[in-house]
Amino acid sequence: MAPRIRIPAHVFGYTLATVPAIAYAMYWKKNHKSDEEFEKMLLESSRNKSLIDGSRDKKQNMVSFFDAMKDGDPEQEARMNQVLYGGKGDIKRHYAIDKSLYGTEEGAEQQRMAVEAAAEEQSSRAIKKKRRKKGGKKKKKKMVEDVAKDETKSKTDSIDKVGWNGST
């Protein structure tokens, strides 16, 4: 009689877990397309072609950027320092300036009018906020006695309107 083969439980479990992965790897190796075939298939569509061209341009820009950083290009270094300083470097204004008005009386008048308009808008906002707070207060709850008085008052008012003849 032939000897029995004994397989430890953990080896059997690992084998069962890896068999599907190994089978898929063998299938993929046999049937996958090469990179050239895959690229040719992607380039058939005009949408994919524009995306691929854009991606290549971006990659070329990144390569030139890193080459400039490695070579120590002074212009590139200055731009990177501005980025690293978080805007606290040389550039102070990030908005457009009308140079025809800058430093003239007309420009000063426009600035004064803008400041006044901003102050007026801020005060109107404060007034609206106060109105909202004032109108938003909760009414006090009526006490039970007040409710009872109101009910009896409304009953007597209705009796007065109809008239009381002394009978029930």
Side-chain angles (χ1 to χ4, degrees), residues 25 27 44 64-65 70 85 104 113 117 128-129 144 164:
Y27 169 80
E44 288 174 1
S64 64
F65 171 79
K70 278 193 258 179
Y85 289 139
T104 63
M113 289 172 52
K128 286 179 183 178
K129 190 174 181 181
V144 176
W164 176 258

Side-chain angles (χ1 to χ4, degrees), residues 118-135:
E120 185 177 317
E121 182 180 339
Q122 189 175 11
S123 66
S124 67
R125 283 184 185 170
I127 290 170
K128 286 179 183 178
K129 190 174 181 181
K130 284 181 183 178
R131 284 183 190 157
R132 273 187 257 134
K133 280 187 176 181
K134 194 174 191 179

Side-chain angles (χ1 to χ4, degrees), residues 78-92:
R79 287 177 58 199
M80 279 305 293
N81 284 337
Q82 285 180 349
V83 170
L84 293 175
Y85 289 139
K88 296 181 179 155
D90 297 337
I91 298 174
K92 297 294 181 193

Side-chain angles (χ1 to χ4, degrees), residues 57-150:
D57 292 340
K58 289 178 186 176
K59 180 181 177 188
Q60 183 60 37
N61 289 340
M62 286 293 286
V63 167
S64 64
F65 171 79
F66 285 120
D67 286 343
M69 288 302 293
K70 278 193 258 179
D71 295 341
D73 184 22
E75 181 183 325
Q76 194 71 28
E77 289 289 331
R79 287 177 58 199
M80 279 305 293
N81 284 337
Q82 285 180 349
V83 170
L84 293 175
Y85 289 139
K88 296 181 179 155
D90 297 337
I91 298 174
K92 297 294 181 193
R93 295 183 190 265
H94 298 285
Y95 51 89
I97 297 174
D98 188 2
K99 297 200 181 218
S100 64
L101 296 176
Y102 191 71
T104 63
E105 288 184 29
E106 184 182 353
E109 180 65 25
Q110 284 186 359
Q111 182 182 10
R112 188 185 58 76
M113 289 172 52
V115 168
E116 286 176 2
E120 185 177 317
E121 182 180 339
Q122 189 175 11
S123 66
S124 67
R125 283 184 185 170
I127 290 170
K128 286 179 183 178
K129 190 174 181 181
K130 284 181 183 178
R131 284 183 190 157
R132 273 187 257 134
K133 280 187 176 181
K134 194 174 191 179
K137 286 184 179 177
K138 294 183 179 179
K139 295 180 180 178
K140 293 182 181 178
K141 293 183 180 180
K142 290 186 175 182
M143 301 295 286
V144 176
E145 297 169 359
D146 294 338
V147 173
K149 285 180 186 177
D150 288 345

Side-chain angles (χ1 to χ4, degrees), residues 159 163-168:
I159 292 172
W164 176 258
N165 62 5
S167 63
T168 36

